[in-house]
Amino acid sequence: MRLTADANPHQWIPVTESLGWKGRRHRKAAIRMLLGQANTAVGAEPRQGSRAAAWALSQAAPLLMRKADGRVLVWTWKEEPELVVAMASAQQLTPQVRAARATMPMEYDDTEEFRNPYLGTGERLVMPLPPEPHTPPFVMYTWDTGTHLVTLQAICPDRERFGTIVPHLDDLARTLRRVDDTTVGETPGVLRIDPA
């Protein structure tokens, strides 16, 4: 199962499909922001991730995501790539994944219904003030398709501007859909059907 979405090109830059020079600045900025958040999460002094590490990861990230073969999609905010990073993923619903979801902290129970025209009704969790002070504000959308768990997560380190981003993330989440590969007869090729 693969994922696709119609991200507004005036608002979002796809990290997943950017190779080489294309999208390089946005990749590096997003990865620097994520590295900075990781430093803070482990109790290190809050600072931007190192430029060398961000550069190395920005070169490897698109190739790793391409290898994920559509199971992972990542976008950054076009005007300010360090403001928000959104990542969609599809994970097979194994008993271990179900058990992990069932044992999530109580704060994760504050979800609300969220409708996607392609994936159906799922859940949205908005955390403007996470219980852990080192955790940045985030939004998480989830859909249980029966066989897979489809998730869209976005983090924004700016608590004051976080609320202004959520409506745009809602719009992105509504365009997320699955694309299944179906083998047709004895033909060795694969027919890809877009559910739209």
Side-chain angles (χ1 to χ4, degrees), residues 91-99 147:
Q91 188 177 19
Q92 192 168 1
L93 269 172
T94 62
Q96 292 81 5
V97 171
R98 291 187 186 279
T147 58

Side-chain angles (χ1 to χ4, degrees), residues 111-128:
T111 59
E112 54 195 16
E113 208 173 82
F114 186 85
R115 178 103 181 114
N116 173 305
Y118 309 103
L119 298 172
T121 302
E123 296 177 336
R124 180 181 79 159
L125 174 66
V126 180
M127 293 288 274

Side-chain angles (χ1 to χ4, degrees), residues 18-172:
S18 64
L19 285 170
W21 292 99
K22 183 183 174 191
R24 184 174 67 96
R25 182 176 70 86
H26 287 80
R27 277 200 316 270
K28 283 170 61 178
I31 289 169
R32 264 200 316 272
M33 186 265 277
L34 293 172
L35 287 173
Q37 293 304 320
N39 286 335
T40 305
V42 297
E45 189 175 312
R47 59 186 170 83
Q48 289 289 343
S50 83
R51 291 187 180 274
W55 179 84
L57 284 171
S58 75
Q59 300 307 305
L63 296 172
L64 292 171
M65 285 184 232
R66 182 172 278 185
K67 197 169 184 177
D69 199 20
R71 292 185 305 275
V72 177
L73 302 173
V74 180
W75 301 270
T76 63
W77 192 243
K78 185 173 184 176
E79 290 182 2
E80 197 174 342
E82 293 179 352
L83 178 64
V84 63
V85 176
M87 181 175 80
S89 62
Q91 188 177 19
Q92 192 168 1
L93 269 172
T94 62
Q96 292 81 5
V97 171
R98 291 187 186 279
R101 279 180 54 77
T103 58
M104 290 177 88
M106 191 186 310
E107 293 82 8
Y108 286 77
D109 293 338
D110 296 332
T111 59
E112 54 195 16
E113 208 173 82
F114 186 85
R115 178 103 181 114
N116 173 305
Y118 309 103
L119 298 172
T121 302
E123 296 177 336
R124 180 181 79 159
L125 174 66
V126 180
M127 293 288 274
L129 294 170
E132 289 291 324
H134 299 304
T135 305
F138 68 91
V139 185
M140 183 166 57
Y141 306 82
T142 53
W143 295 270
D144 183 338
T145 67
T147 58
H148 288 77
L149 181 69
V150 177
T151 308
L152 174 65
Q153 300 178 45
I155 65 167
C156 172
D158 190 333
R159 291 177 186 263
E160 292 180 3
R161 296 169 63 192
F162 172 70
T164 64
I165 295 295
V166 174
H168 301 292
L169 288 165
D170 286 350
D171 292 340
L172 176 62

